Amino acid sequence: MAKRIVFGILMSLMLSSLMTFWVTWVNLGFGVNFLHSWGKSFMLAWPVAALLSITFAPLVHSFTSSLFDNKH
């Protein structure tokens, strides 16, 4: 259980930081307020991403396994 939670937190950290960086850059460019805007977006996105990752990871893992385990 602890391993799943740590994985969800780390995966969501990586994905939310990269995705919010990308979307902020695409929408605003590297202006004076870029770091502030990116930081605000990241702080809003990461908790939600962590919760969703921890909640849905077992379901996605089971679905992925079913895609590959039933092949003969």
Side-chain angles (χ1 to χ4, degrees), residues 18-49:
L18 292 172
M19 291 302 298
T20 55
F21 184 91
W22 173 256
V23 172
T24 304
W25 175 67
V26 167
N27 287 326
L28 302 178
F30 286 119
V32 176
N33 291 327
F34 175 80
L35 287 178
H36 174 75
S37 297
W38 173 54
K40 184 177 177 182
S41 297
F42 172 73
M43 293 305 290
L44 291 171
W46 187 25
V48 175

Side-chain angles (χ1 to χ4, degrees), residues 1-2 4 13 18 23-24 26-27 30 36 39 41 48 52-54 58 60 63-64 68-69:
M1 179 72 156
R4 185 178 77 161
L13 171 67
L18 292 172
V23 172
T24 304
V26 167
N27 287 326
F30 286 119
H36 174 75
S41 297
V48 175
L52 292 173
S53 179
I54 292 166
V60 174
F63 176 69
T64 304
F68 289 94
D69 291 344

Side-chain angles (χ1 to χ4, degrees), residues 14 16-17 21 24 26 29 33 45 50 59 61 68 70:
M14 176 72 73
S16 60
S17 63
F21 184 91
T24 304
V26 167
N33 291 327
L59 178 66
H61 186 271
F68 289 94
N70 293 328

